[in-house]
């Protein structure tokens, strides 16, 4: 069984910073892409940033230049450094991993989500 556990969310003032972490655990053979998505109240879940095992990244236009995604392959961990936060960044942030477990083909797993609230 695979688990993704996020941490690091919270309440911050506009202009502040937060760092999210997500650890994948279980019978993991390899992880291809890891990423962060978010969902604000009344809105659809949207991509924030993704990173491949080789370190290639992709960001939503709304966060480019403010957020940085990184990963530690040895620890099966992905991070999201969020700077210059804005009230519109308020959402539940979800970790996502496209991975292969021992004895099965690739699947996508999701974490339970962590709340980020940015006050104006």
């Amino acid at each position: 069984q695979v688990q993704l556990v996020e941490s690091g969310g919270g309440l911050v003032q506009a202009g502040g910073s937060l760092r999210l972490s997500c650890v994948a655990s279980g019978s993991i053979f390899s992880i291809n892409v890891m990423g962060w998505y978010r969902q604000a109240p009344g809105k659809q879940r949207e991509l924030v940033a993704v990173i491949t095992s080789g370190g290639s990244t992709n960001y939503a236009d709304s966060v480019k230049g403010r957020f940085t995604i990184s990963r530690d392959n040895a620890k099966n961990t992905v991070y999201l450094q969020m700077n210059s936060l804005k009230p519109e960044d308020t959402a539940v942030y979800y970790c996502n991993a496209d991975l292969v477990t021992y004895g099965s083909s690739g699947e996508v797993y999701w974490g339970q989500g962590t709340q980020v609230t940015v006050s104006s």
Side-chain angles (χ1 to χ4, degrees):
Q1 190 72 9
V2 173
Q3 264 194 317
L4 271 62
V5 179
E6 301 108 332
S7 61
L11 173 64
V12 64
Q13 288 189 332
S17 299
L18 282 174
R19 189 190 194 210
L20 306 182
S21 300
C22 172
V23 180
S25 62
S27 299
I28 298 170
F29 176 73
S30 65
I31 304 179
N32 182 15
V33 180
M34 301 187 81
W36 291 94
Y37 291 71
R38 67 186 181 187
Q39 187 167 18
K43 295 188 176 181
Q44 289 189 331
R45 190 173 298 188
E46 63 177 3
L47 180 147
V48 176
V50 292
I51 184 168
T52 68
S53 57
S56 297
T57 59
N58 190 36
Y59 294 91
D61 288 342
S62 59
V63 306
K64 282 180 182 177
R66 300 188 298 123
F67 291 10
T68 302
I69 189 170
S70 61
R71 65 190 276 180
D72 184 332
N73 291 330
K75 296 181 178 179
N76 289 341
T77 301
V78 63
Y79 306 97
L80 186 68
Q81 178 67 44
M82 305 186 293
N83 299 329
S84 303
L85 282 160
K86 304 175 181 180
E88 50 264 44
D89 294 318
T90 295
V92 178
Y93 283 70
Y94 295 91
C95 175
N96 166 286
D98 179 3
L99 57 85
V100 177
T101 60
Y102 289 99
S104 72
S105 59
E107 270 186 72
V108 175
Y109 291 83
W110 291 90
Q112 81 287 351
T114 185
Q115 177 70 46
V116 171
T117 303
V118 185
S119 63
S120 57

